[in-house]
Amino acid sequence: MRPLTQEETRALFEKLAKYIGENIQLLVDRPDGSYCFRLHKDRVYYVSERILKVATSIPGDKLVALGTCFGKFTKTGKFRLHVTALDYLAPYAKYKVWVKPGAEQSFLYGNHVLKSGLGRITENTAQYQGVVVYSMADVPLGFGVAAKSTQDCRKVDPMAIVVFHQADVGEYVRHEDTLT
Amino acid sequence: MAALCVEELLARAEQPHRSVAVEKELELEFDLGNLLALDRNMPPSMPRAAGAQRESRLRSLARDNTQLLVAQLWGLPAGRAEGATGPLVAQLPEPSYRLPREKPLPRPRPPTRWEQFARLKGIRRRKRTSLVWDEAAKQWRRRWGYERAGGDPARDWLIEVPAGADPNEDQFAKRLREKREKVARNEFNRLRNIARGALPGRGLHPTGQQSRAELGRATQVARVSTASLGRFQPRLPKEPPAPPPRGGRKRHFEPLLGDLAAERRRQLELLRGLGSKKPPLDLTRAVNKQLREEDAQAAAGKGRKRGQRGKRGRQRPGGGKGPAGGKGKKGGIRRRQQQQRPAGRKRS
């Protein structure tokens, strides 16, 4: 377990900024406690200082996880965001997409969101912008990347993909053994 | 006490500086390239009895000669190293005094058996082409090796018995035997060359009489002669452990529970740096904004009819569910965006 280096922090923040923009400082500097990012076995954990101090007494090879896992660094140094970060992305998301009830199931199984399943989308969403996917009842379902800008979403046919799937809460069941 | 110190200081200041002039009967010979000064004057007479005086006399002799040498150095052309503010540096001339070799000249290596033979016969090396024209295959083939010109002699299915040979002799076995003998002879000659020290591997092959240092050198060469240049070679049982690599730093991480406030500050700085160069997509956004405005104008100009026809057109491939579900949602988007558009235009 160790803190992140400058390069790793930069990669993490660049990835998070795609979804929550400048609200990352609300994660870094919180009024209700001191939280920090720690790297353990290539995974980035967002953990409060109190828990961190307690976790130092566990041997490294026996420690599975601590705090909230935001994602992991791949072998080539790229950062991949996991669905376990959704709790921190959803409240601060800048660009949101609401999905119709019929298409929710499909998204939760790992498919992309088609135009026919698109309920609402935030105005001014650029293409390939990171978006958080909600159900019509404002329950966060996951996140992805906008395949089309809001402008293009209106003109495209119903079978076209509008949001590329990246993570959904169904992964808690499907990828139970790899998520920490 | 203080008054005494002050008096001492004044006395010292009144004394003249030590003179830099040195008087010698014979001039010294200087070789400034080697920083050498040769003094051919008679050394000062030093009777055996005076012990402390010897020291002081020798010291003053050394000081005088050094003074003369340094005076000569000040006479050389000088420049400033490392730019205009660097230290003053004198340019030394070429050394004229030949200093003896530190180590003896290397011995010439004895020639190999082939080199001896070639010198005897007057054979000189010919440059050969790497490819040879193979008439049978009508191709340029290599001289030896894989798919050589003229076919691989070891794969012949037929060998003619030569004129004077015994018809019951096995020609294939004979060929194999001769090849083995050639190889063995070559190996033998190679080892003999090495033993005579004609090849570069001398000192690395085990003879009975090698010193500890030579054996250590041979071990080091053997360790490094792997594909990974010895990086993953385990140590021998009684070999001392590897010396730590000097100069290359291992990766250094911050302490785990270090100053969290400082860490936060650094991260906020980083965020500020990331956020500052925010507008890279301006062009796309401008284009989108333009399209939105054009859409608004077109929709406002042609009225609701064009919008409804567009909606129906989109719903047809969607199926029967279109009119029921689409009107509510898509009409909603259109209506909402139409409402928002004037506000957006005002802002821009």
Side-chain angles (χ1 to χ4, degrees):
Chain A
M1 194 175 16
R2 61 167 174 86
L4 283 89
T5 62
Q6 278 290 90
E7 291 77 24
E8 288 164 351
T9 320
R10 182 185 301 269
L12 170 69
F13 284 171
E14 276 173 4
K15 201 51 178 272
L16 287 177
K18 289 194 179 128
Y19 295 90
I20 59 182
E22 65 271 2
N23 292 333
I24 302 176
Q25 59 197 19
L26 295 170
L27 281 181
V28 169
D29 208 0
R30 276 164 77 135
D32 62 337
S34 164
Y35 283 71
C36 56
F37 291 100
R38 286 292 179 266
L39 193 78
H40 176 61
K41 289 194 181 149
D42 286 335
R43 284 171 196 256
V44 174
Y45 294 98
Y46 182 62
V47 60
S48 72
E49 189 187 340
R50 190 176 60 84
I51 307 269
L52 177 65
K53 285 194 172 147
V54 169
T56 53
S57 63
I58 303 173
D61 52 342
K62 307 265 185 334
L63 179 67
V64 173
L66 68 163
T68 314
C69 174
F70 263 37
K72 71 181 222 185
F73 277 99
T74 61
K75 290 274 191 285
T76 52
K78 300 191 180 45
F79 182 70
R80 179 180 211 83
L81 211 55
H82 285 179
V83 70
T84 39
L86 187 62
D87 288 335
Y88 292 98
L89 294 184
Y92 303 120
K94 302 209 85 173
Y95 297 99
K96 305 180 185 181
V97 163
W98 285 263
V99 145
K100 290 183 196 163
E104 256 175 49
Q105 184 87 339
S106 165
F107 182 72
L108 288 177
Y109 270 92
N111 302 315
H112 303 301
V113 177
L114 305 179
K115 169 73 190 296
S116 52
L118 183 70
R120 279 157 50 193
I121 182 166
T122 323
E123 186 64 51
N124 291 340
T125 314
Q127 197 179 20
Y128 308 131
Q129 176 72 44
V131 293
V132 177
V133 175
Y134 292 81
S135 75
M136 288 317 282
D138 278 334
V139 173
L141 296 177
F143 51 86
V145 171
K148 303 256 184 283
S149 63
T150 316
Q151 196 61 28
D152 298 338
C153 272
R154 278 178 235 137
K155 300 184 188 148
V156 86
D157 64 298
M159 283 293 118
I161 298 174
V162 291
V163 174
F164 291 124
H165 167 282
Q166 284 200 333
D168 64 275
V169 292
E171 280 180 18
Y172 280 106
V173 176
R174 297 199 316 271
H175 299 156
E176 189 182 338
D177 42 358
T178 56
L179 287 178
T180 58
Chain B
M1 270 275 285
L4 273 172
C5 296
V6 168
E7 279 173 8
E8 271 178 47
L9 280 174
L10 285 172
R12 228 178 283 159
E14 278 174 9
Q15 264 177 23
H17 292 284
R18 276 185 280 184
S19 157
V20 294
V22 175
E23 297 235 337
K24 290 272 180 183
E25 286 179 5
L26 278 174
E27 287 294 321
L28 270 57
E29 291 169 16
F30 295 100
D31 178 15
L32 293 173
N34 281 325
L35 292 180
L36 180 70
L38 282 170
D39 186 0
R40 295 192 191 275
N41 292 305
M42 288 291 292
S45 61
M46 286 174 287
R48 278 182 192 278
Q53 278 189 17
R54 279 168 74 105
E55 183 65 34
S56 66
R57 279 193 194 179
L58 284 172
R59 204 180 276 277
S60 67
L61 176 66
R63 189 241 151 224
D64 289 342
N65 285 341
T66 317
Q67 180 68 66
L68 287 171
L69 179 62
V70 170
Q72 286 289 311
L73 284 176
W74 275 105
L76 287 173
R80 285 217 170 252
E82 298 160 22
T85 53
L88 195 62
V89 166
Q91 286 159 357
L92 298 178
E94 289 295 310
S96 58
Y97 192 85
R98 277 189 62 201
L99 293 168
R101 277 181 78 90
E102 181 196 345
K103 291 192 167 61
L105 276 170
R107 279 179 297 140
R109 67 172 177 86
T112 61
R113 278 183 67 78
W114 166 254
E115 281 173 357
Q116 279 178 323
F117 178 76
R119 201 183 306 152
L120 202 61
K121 292 278 192 173
I123 302 171
R124 254 180 300 169
R125 180 154 176 72
R126 277 182 307 166
K127 184 90 179 173
R128 297 179 141 206
T129 60
S130 47
L131 297 176
V132 179
W133 177 251
D134 187 8
E135 200 50 50
K138 297 274 190 295
Q139 250 192 352
W140 284 98
R141 291 260 175 97
R142 47 189 94 187
R143 193 180 288 279
W144 53 270
Y146 178 67
E147 283 178 1
R148 71 190 72 165
D152 191 351
R155 287 163 158 263
D156 280 343
W157 55 272
L158 178 79
I159 306 180
E160 286 181 7
V161 177
D166 177 18
N168 293 334
E169 193 188 4
D170 186 358
Q171 295 296 324
F172 293 100
K174 180 173 166 204
R175 187 181 273 181
L176 200 63
R177 197 175 52 238
E178 278 176 354
K179 182 157 176 76
R180 285 211 194 106
E181 280 172 8
K182 253 197 271 182
V183 168
R185 199 180 332 130
N186 192 20
E187 185 66 20
F188 177 71
N189 283 334
R190 188 179 76 90
L191 291 174
R192 198 159 46 171
N193 279 331
I194 289 172
R196 289 167 67 244
L199 282 190
R202 80 170 134 174
L204 298 176
H205 291 265
T207 63
Q209 307 94 20
Q210 272 172 311
S211 74
R212 186 198 162 89
E214 283 175 344
L215 286 172
R217 218 176 7 236
T219 322
Q220 186 57 32
V221 172
R223 163 180 305 281
V224 173
S225 311
T226 56
S228 316
L229 300 181
R231 273 187 68 185
F232 307 111
Q233 284 302 103
R235 293 254 137 193
L236 294 173
K238 290 198 184 158
E239 209 178 352
R246 287 165 302 179
R249 276 185 63 200
K250 286 176 74 170
R251 278 191 75 181
H252 174 71
F253 298 120
E254 298 293 316
L256 181 59
L257 280 174
D259 190 0
L260 285 178
E263 188 184 328
R264 251 202 299 280
R265 241 179 295 124
R266 254 183 291 125
Q267 285 177 345
L268 288 171
E269 276 286 330
L270 182 66
L271 274 172
R272 216 173 314 137
L274 281 179
S276 64
K277 40 181 154 106
K278 242 319 131 169
L281 275 175
D282 261 345
L283 186 62
T284 333
R285 281 177 176 270
V287 164
N288 276 348
K289 199 182 265 185
Q290 181 65 26
L291 285 172
R292 260 205 313 279
E293 290 183 6
E294 281 174 5
D295 256 2
Q297 284 174 11
K302 298 224 173 136
R304 280 297 148 94
K305 256 191 204 170
R306 184 179 174 271
Q308 282 189 1
R309 212 188 299 137
K311 255 191 274 164
R312 240 182 274 126
R314 255 181 281 136
Q315 281 163 23
R316 223 175 281 125
K321 214 180 171 193
K327 236 184 259 179
K329 299 284 159 61
K330 287 174 192 161
I333 296 175
R334 264 213 168 249
R335 243 180 272 124
R336 208 172 296 115
Q337 281 162 355
Q338 279 177 0
Q339 284 169 7
Q340 281 180 5
R341 237 177 252 123
R345 235 183 289 148
K346 274 189 201 150
R347 240 183 276 129
S348 63

